[in-house]
Amino acid sequence: MEWLNSSWMHREGLARGSEGRTHHLTEEAQGKYHYVYGPFPDPVLQVAPGDLVVVETKDAFEGKIERETDSPSEILNVPFLNPQCGPIAVEGAEKGDIIAIRIHSIKPRGPQPVGTTALIAEFGGLVGTAHTAVLNEALPEKVKKMNVTEDGVEFNSKITIPYEPFIGTLGVSPEIEAVTSLQPDYWGGNMDVPDVAPGAIVYFPVHRKDGYVYLGDCHAAQGDGELCGVAVEMASTTTIQIDVIKNRHIAWPRLENEDFIMTLGSARPMEDAARIAYRELINWLVEDYGWDKLEAYFFLTQAGRVRLGNMVDPKYTIGASIAKSYLA
Amino acid sequence: MEWLNSSWMHREGLARGSEGRTHHLTEEAQGKYHYVYGPFPDPVLQVAPGDLVVVETKDAFEGKIERETDSPSEILNVPFLNPQCGPIAVEGAEKGDIIAIRIHSIKPRGPQPVGTTALIAEFGGLVGTAHTAVLNEALPEKVKKMNVTEDGVEFNSKITIPYEPFIGTLGVSPEIEAVTSLQPDYWGGNMDVPDVAPGAIVYFPVHRKDGYVYLGDCHAAQGDGELCGVAVEMASTTTIQIDVIKNRHIAWPRLENEDFIMTLGSARPMEDAARIAYRELINWLVEDYGWDKLEAYFFLTQAGRVRLGNMVDPKYTIGASIAKSYLA
Amino acid sequence: MEWLNSSWMHREGLARGSEGRTHHLTEEAQGKYHYVYGPFPDPVLQVAPGDLVVVETKDAFEGKIERETDSPSEILNVPFLNPQCGPIAVEGAEKGDIIAIRIHSIKPRGPQPVGTTALIAEFGGLVGTAHTAVLNEALPEKVKKMNVTEDGVEFNSKITIPYEPFIGTLGVSPEIEAVTSLQPDYWGGNMDVPDVAPGAIVYFPVHRKDGYVYLGDCHAAQGDGELCGVAVEMASTTTIQIDVIKNRHIAWPRLENEDFIMTLGSARPMEDAARIAYRELINWLVEDYGWDKLEAYFFLTQAGRVRLGNMVDPKYTIGASIAKSYLA
Amino acid sequence: MEWLNSSWMHREGLARGSEGRTHHLTEEAQGKYHYVYGPFPDPVLQVAPGDLVVVETKDAFEGKIERETDSPSEILNVPFLNPQCGPIAVEGAEKGDIIAIRIHSIKPRGPQPVGTTALIAEFGGLVGTAHTAVLNEALPEKVKKMNVTEDGVEFNSKITIPYEPFIGTLGVSPEIEAVTSLQPDYWGGNMDVPDVAPGAIVYFPVHRKDGYVYLGDCHAAQGDGELCGVAVEMASTTTIQIDVIKNRHIAWPRLENEDFIMTLGSARPMEDAARIAYRELINWLVEDYGWDKLEAYFFLTQAGRVRLGNMVDPKYTIGASIAKSYLA
């Protein structure tokens, strides 16, 4: 993959693109999964810049929803949702640096049907919720199990959705907070942006020594917005490579792949997520590509692209991007 | 174009896909342009189902911003903005029907530089506005003129943006209101969705006899969100074909092209635009494609796509879509 | 009422506080009621600055919901809702002026039970709506009729709510738009702010010759936010006095009474309504009371008050106020 | 104070209104202040139901802004803002209970000028912020120091604002999260609601053993919305009494005083805060006062009151209330 040589990670990461050791973070090695992004637990693993980690993630329900007849409200135990692997300590990462994570691969893991989606009371994009509080009756609970392979997601007997896996929840620890893994924010977390996929490198601002990487919540496929709140959730074997860019401040996560650069903003209402993402993208164009700020504003007006990650989590996430073809 | 035969317009429109007469709505024929979508003016043209209309639209500034040294605040005269052609009376259209508009072509019109974008005080996605009222100083006014041909938009000496024209403002009259052409709503209007482009058919709910079609505000290119509030505005020669689907209620505009079907919602905050669009898309799947409502909710969660039209107009516009490949 | 002598209306209005003729705008004189705020109808009445008008308003349902067993969805005919009296042409008012309206009295009118509230499907503050679109089932329709006199609103056999009447919908015509009387905006309209009550003077920016005053939708009582969307609606006999302040631009409605000055902003999301109202109040302090802008910002931070008008209409309305005791 | 005998705290609290021991949580006893609401630190104090605590709170800037010439951006060290006393362990409190806190008194503490407000870049209700991200220049930094006594706040040489102190930040620990003390949420926190004042009892849902009460951020006065983001901040000596109501679930904080009962919701956008507060108030009327749900919805529509706490924090806070006179 030619483009990697010119990626930010390879140009400025401490490992300069070389691969280090490969670590295996199995379910056993992980032991207890985590439900918050925070600085308090001891790391389950320590890696050096350039190292790869093969991670066994659980699905967002910790594998507890096994049948279509299961009742999410009886099985799920708030706030113990969206279990995360980690924290992974990254040598040399300090507050004010960036941790770069290249996603190598995501494979479904476990017995079929591996994929799960569900309707959960007072959760989702087209229902009243705990925040958009209404008096209407909640929708009925409902579970759908789907066979998932790298060939596709068997949505039903007629429709197979392409297997387009990504990491729903990925990020680093805040400095002093420990926040539910259901929430996306400036440290990453539950962004649910389908571009956080194999082939992409994601950049996070580091807030504490060793950064503390968390990940989980892999999806076999997801539409824009994750409409009902639950994608095709699956346990996975996910391989990432981690590096560190020293002394470089970014306010929100960034992403690049072969085709575009993207900034990720999370907020409510949704327009604030878009504002954050686009302002960060202007900042990127100004800082690294030599653009004048207002000229960049004009340019993104004509050529920027927007990806809606989620419209269901405690903050909504939007990615704003610009094609690399313009930036040569 | 094979797909047209299976389009809603060709299947259910009164003209069944056949082309009628071609009308020319020149600047002279239009005379006075309009700044509201409403039922009060006399039609400038009457067409039969299946007829084509070749329309000379003005740009959103009515061609008054001619030089990069021009001052928008001195030239523009609120509320006389975003001049619209029409109303075009459509024979046989009545409240409770649908008007279908197929976009045949959009060509730039007039002397170069045909394209205009601008920073306008207290307007745009990354500034305080009349509604998101702040005490910060406004950004400076700024105008950029661009040569635009069907080969591309010369954004600057290094960057040419592909010519991807669309109609920024298109719709029908409300029943008793007359609303600024700056606003998108359930009747269409200033949606600024780049998919309203040649190759697409757009469907609008009819609210009064003869429907009263308005259009204007063509863009040579635009990024998602129309970030600064002003796309590559241009005068155009735009060719549309109009048809009527009788006795069919839709609440918000819909669109189809060769690849997908899309519903269009406009509201603030932005999540409400997404909610409207996605609920309408579920309704469409239920009504015309035989889906169960909750199964459709699950399905769009995994395979729906979202396009952000504008994040700058009085209401924000979002299109929710699903690939036709799933609907065979 | 001593304070009137120092009111803006008395100090700068053309009539300087003197009362002119009294006009009677009865149901018969009104004839057809209106459902939009706009410039298109002929005035039903012409008044001079200082004149009083005794107006017979209908309730927001035009008196059609007569029994608790009535079905709003069968009776109401969208968009013919919230019938308005007017337009009243005000001599001497021109674009760029202010129309001042002092509310003298509001009395219930018609046979008991005069008061009506109702649950209407997909409308209200605690339900999914046409804009906050959800898949949940709508609440059941429901009507409550209440006896209303100037002694109180008999909510039920145990509870009587004080009679605190106000004008729910009051304002002037936009310049070229004609917008549903359900919507509040910079021209006033359906603000549903309980301070628009006897004893208050409300100021509106004039957008066209003669201003064109509309009013209707009187409420016998209302909580903050008009939670279910329908206050204690009643037909009324309402007496207002109208004056003109020449050559003075305001962007949004303003209000004063004996105790405070208030600015009124309408927008979605709700924080934008608050931003508008507070920024306008700072502008007022700067323009008329000699405050420094940032000092006024500090001051309202410590002493400003907020009134939520409605959280149910197409735009939400908030009033921001400051006690006159601070402004001596 | 007669009403206390009928308060929820006195009726159902374990101490049944009797006063226990008085504890002193001085600066020395507190030692290190906290910047998150969470379960991780050891308690600084353990109290029994009915006990009083006299707490020395620091101001939101930890007393570091001493002069009007100080620069907040140089002095403040994000995220170490809004220092909190606590956690106070409450014997007998367990998940699923309620902690009731009666506020006895709040007195200014320390050398004059005790009061501080400030403009902080990209923070406040009428400026672009980190979330409502804009390209406009930030306002200048600015500090105002004010003498504060129990006789009033000397805002400037002409204006004294009444001393109406309250606790800006008060609440309990989440179960597994540790969240910045800048944020209000279902556990309380930085709600900035002026009704959290002497004479009020506030009720919080307990999420972990011993509850873990935190408090700080007392204000000598504040307008609705805390417009610029910084009230009249002061160090204080605050006396509270703590009790426990067993086995009673509430989702969000509640408050009562002599005159009304209030529910407190925090969310963005602001309408969601209002929705939460009003739905909780309906729940309260249904659970404790025997109302039918829809009748309560009607009733609050006509008689509910709304208080805007803050429009500047990570979530906005709104209190919805109903007069006790209706509930006899």
Side-chain angles (χ1 to χ4, degrees), chain B residues 240-254:
Chain B
I240 60 174
Q241 185 183 11
I242 301 178
D243 205 346
V244 176
I245 297 171
K246 294 297 294 179
N247 300 315
R248 178 64 196 275
H249 173 70
I250 56 176
W252 288 85
R254 298 180 179 183

mmCIF file of all heavy atoms in Angstrom, chain B residues 240-254:
data_model
loop_
_atom_site.group_PDB
_atom_site.id
_atom_site.type_symbol
_atom_site.label_atom_id
_atom_site.label_comp_id
_atom_site.label_asym_id
_atom_site.label_seq_id
_atom_site.Cartn_x
_atom_site.Cartn_y
_atom_site.Cartn_z
ATOM 1 N N ILE B 240 -35.793 20.620 -17.090
ATOM 2 C CA ILE B 240 -36.518 19.671 -16.238
ATOM 3 C C ILE B 240 -37.731 19.128 -16.990
ATOM 4 O O ILE B 240 -38.217 19.744 -17.930
ATOM 5 C CB ILE B 240 -36.992 20.312 -14.918
ATOM 6 C CG1 ILE B 240 -37.937 21.498 -15.196
ATOM 7 C CG2 ILE B 240 -35.802 20.752 -14.066
ATOM 8 C CD1 ILE B 240 -38.559 22.107 -13.939
ATOM 9 N N GLN B 241 -38.180 17.974 -16.529
ATOM 10 C CA GLN B 241 -39.413 17.393 -17.054
ATOM 11 C C GLN B 241 -40.348 17.195 -15.868
ATOM 12 O O GLN B 241 -39.925 16.757 -14.790
ATOM 13 C CB GLN B 241 -39.103 16.054 -17.725
ATOM 14 C CG GLN B 241 -40.317 15.423 -18.403
ATOM 15 C CD GLN B 241 -39.991 14.056 -18.986
ATOM 16 O OE1 GLN B 241 -38.930 13.503 -18.704
ATOM 17 N NE2 GLN B 241 -40.898 13.519 -19.775
ATOM 18 N N ILE B 242 -41.612 17.501 -16.085
ATOM 19 C CA ILE B 242 -42.566 17.524 -14.974
ATOM 20 C C ILE B 242 -43.684 16.520 -15.218
ATOM 21 O O ILE B 242 -44.208 16.427 -16.322
ATOM 22 C CB ILE B 242 -43.157 18.943 -14.797
ATOM 23 C CG1 ILE B 242 -42.033 19.955 -14.531
ATOM 24 C CG2 ILE B 242 -44.192 18.972 -13.680
ATOM 25 C CD1 ILE B 242 -42.495 21.395 -14.395
ATOM 26 N N ASP B 243 -44.030 15.800 -14.170
ATOM 27 C CA ASP B 243 -45.173 14.892 -14.280
ATOM 28 C C ASP B 243 -45.966 14.904 -12.967
ATOM 29 O O ASP B 243 -45.541 15.521 -11.979
ATOM 30 C CB ASP B 243 -44.702 13.469 -14.617
ATOM 31 C CG ASP B 243 -45.803 12.657 -15.318
ATOM 32 O OD1 ASP B 243 -46.976 13.080 -15.299
ATOM 33 O OD2 ASP B 243 -45.470 11.603 -15.880
ATOM 34 N N VAL B 244 -47.102 14.247 -12.983
ATOM 35 C CA VAL B 244 -48.000 14.235 -11.832
ATOM 36 C C VAL B 244 -48.368 12.794 -11.478
ATOM 37 O O VAL B 244 -48.742 12.019 -12.358
ATOM 38 C CB VAL B 244 -49.299 15.018 -12.122
ATOM 39 C CG1 VAL B 244 -50.280 14.911 -10.959
ATOM 40 C CG2 VAL B 244 -48.981 16.469 -12.432
ATOM 41 N N ILE B 245 -48.224 12.447 -10.222
ATOM 42 C CA ILE B 245 -48.742 11.173 -9.718
ATOM 43 C C ILE B 245 -49.983 11.488 -8.891
ATOM 44 O O ILE B 245 -49.918 12.242 -7.921
ATOM 45 C CB ILE B 245 -47.673 10.447 -8.866
ATOM 46 C CG1 ILE B 245 -46.455 10.091 -9.740
ATOM 47 C CG2 ILE B 245 -48.262 9.203 -8.209
ATOM 48 C CD1 ILE B 245 -45.267 9.574 -8.957
ATOM 49 N N LYS B 246 -51.081 10.931 -9.286
ATOM 50 C CA LYS B 246 -52.358 11.290 -8.669
ATOM 51 C C LYS B 246 -52.611 10.532 -7.362
ATOM 52 O O LYS B 246 -52.219 9.366 -7.217
ATOM 53 C CB LYS B 246 -53.512 10.981 -9.634
ATOM 54 C CG LYS B 246 -53.530 11.838 -10.901
ATOM 55 C CD LYS B 246 -53.736 13.321 -10.624
ATOM 56 C CE LYS B 246 -55.123 13.622 -10.038
ATOM 57 N NZ LYS B 246 -55.247 15.093 -9.768
ATOM 58 N N ASN B 247 -53.257 11.242 -6.446
ATOM 59 C CA ASN B 247 -53.803 10.606 -5.231
ATOM 60 C C ASN B 247 -52.781 9.800 -4.448
ATOM 61 O O ASN B 247 -52.988 8.650 -4.101
ATOM 62 C CB ASN B 247 -54.956 9.666 -5.616
ATOM 63 C CG ASN B 247 -56.067 10.425 -6.292
ATOM 64 O OD1 ASN B 247 -56.457 11.499 -5.832
ATOM 65 N ND2 ASN B 247 -56.546 9.904 -7.409
ATOM 66 N N ARG B 248 -51.697 10.434 -4.178
ATOM 67 C CA ARG B 248 -50.683 9.746 -3.411
ATOM 68 C C ARG B 248 -50.066 10.756 -2.449
ATOM 69 O O ARG B 248 -49.459 11.744 -2.893
ATOM 70 C CB ARG B 248 -49.623 9.165 -4.362
ATOM 71 C CG ARG B 248 -48.506 8.461 -3.661
ATOM 72 C CD ARG B 248 -49.040 7.212 -2.910
ATOM 73 N NE ARG B 248 -48.030 6.808 -1.956
ATOM 74 C CZ ARG B 248 -46.987 6.023 -2.255
ATOM 75 N NH1 ARG B 248 -46.874 5.502 -3.461
ATOM 76 N NH2 ARG B 248 -46.098 5.747 -1.332
ATOM 77 N N HIS B 249 -50.218 10.497 -1.189
ATOM 78 C CA HIS B 249 -49.731 11.452 -0.201
ATOM 79 C C HIS B 249 -48.312 11.124 0.242
ATOM 80 O O HIS B 249 -48.001 10.007 0.641
ATOM 81 C CB HIS B 249 -50.637 11.441 1.027
ATOM 82 C CG HIS B 249 -50.078 12.276 2.147
ATOM 83 N ND1 HIS B 249 -50.028 13.655 2.082
ATOM 84 C CD2 HIS B 249 -49.507 11.938 3.329
ATOM 85 C CE1 HIS B 249 -49.455 14.120 3.190
ATOM 86 N NE2 HIS B 249 -49.123 13.094 3.953
ATOM 87 N N ILE B 250 -47.442 12.108 0.188
ATOM 88 C CA ILE B 250 -46.148 12.026 0.879
ATOM 89 C C ILE B 250 -46.016 13.283 1.720
ATOM 90 O O ILE B 250 -46.577 14.338 1.396
ATOM 91 C CB ILE B 250 -44.954 11.891 -0.088
ATOM 92 C CG1 ILE B 250 -44.930 13.045 -1.114
ATOM 93 C CG2 ILE B 250 -45.003 10.549 -0.810
ATOM 94 C CD1 ILE B 250 -43.711 13.019 -2.024
ATOM 95 N N ALA B 251 -45.304 13.176 2.820
ATOM 96 C CA ALA B 251 -45.216 14.313 3.735
ATOM 97 C C ALA B 251 -44.029 15.223 3.411
ATOM 98 O O ALA B 251 -44.073 16.422 3.660
ATOM 99 C CB ALA B 251 -45.116 13.813 5.176
ATOM 100 N N TRP B 252 -42.972 14.643 2.846
ATOM 101 C CA TRP B 252 -41.738 15.381 2.577
ATOM 102 C C TRP B 252 -41.217 14.982 1.195
ATOM 103 O O TRP B 252 -41.614 13.938 0.676
ATOM 104 C CB TRP B 252 -40.691 15.052 3.650
ATOM 105 C CG TRP B 252 -40.982 15.657 4.985
ATOM 106 C CD1 TRP B 252 -41.793 15.132 5.954
ATOM 107 C CD2 TRP B 252 -40.494 16.885 5.504
ATOM 108 N NE1 TRP B 252 -41.825 15.968 7.041
ATOM 109 C CE2 TRP B 252 -41.029 17.064 6.794
ATOM 110 C CE3 TRP B 252 -39.636 17.884 5.015
ATOM 111 C CZ2 TRP B 252 -40.752 18.182 7.592
ATOM 112 C CZ3 TRP B 252 -39.350 18.995 5.810
ATOM 113 C CH2 TRP B 252 -39.911 19.138 7.076
ATOM 114 N N PRO B 253 -40.323 15.776 0.625
ATOM 115 C CA PRO B 253 -39.795 15.437 -0.704
ATOM 116 C C PRO B 253 -39.055 14.100 -0.718
ATOM 117 O O PRO B 253 -38.444 13.694 0.277
ATOM 118 C CB PRO B 253 -38.825 16.597 -1.004
ATOM 119 C CG PRO B 253 -39.309 17.739 -0.175
ATOM 120 C CD PRO B 253 -39.843 17.105 1.080
ATOM 121 N N ARG B 254 -39.129 13.433 -1.854
ATOM 122 C CA ARG B 254 -38.404 12.190 -2.071
ATOM 123 C C ARG B 254 -37.631 12.306 -3.383
ATOM 124 O O ARG B 254 -37.929 13.150 -4.213
ATOM 125 C CB ARG B 254 -39.379 11.007 -2.116
ATOM 126 C CG ARG B 254 -40.129 10.811 -0.821
ATOM 127 C CD ARG B 254 -41.100 9.640 -0.868
ATOM 128 N NE ARG B 254 -41.771 9.511 0.423
ATOM 129 C CZ ARG B 254 -42.636 8.532 0.722
ATOM 130 N NH1 ARG B 254 -42.930 7.599 -0.191
ATOM 131 N NH2 ARG B 254 -43.198 8.468 1.919
#
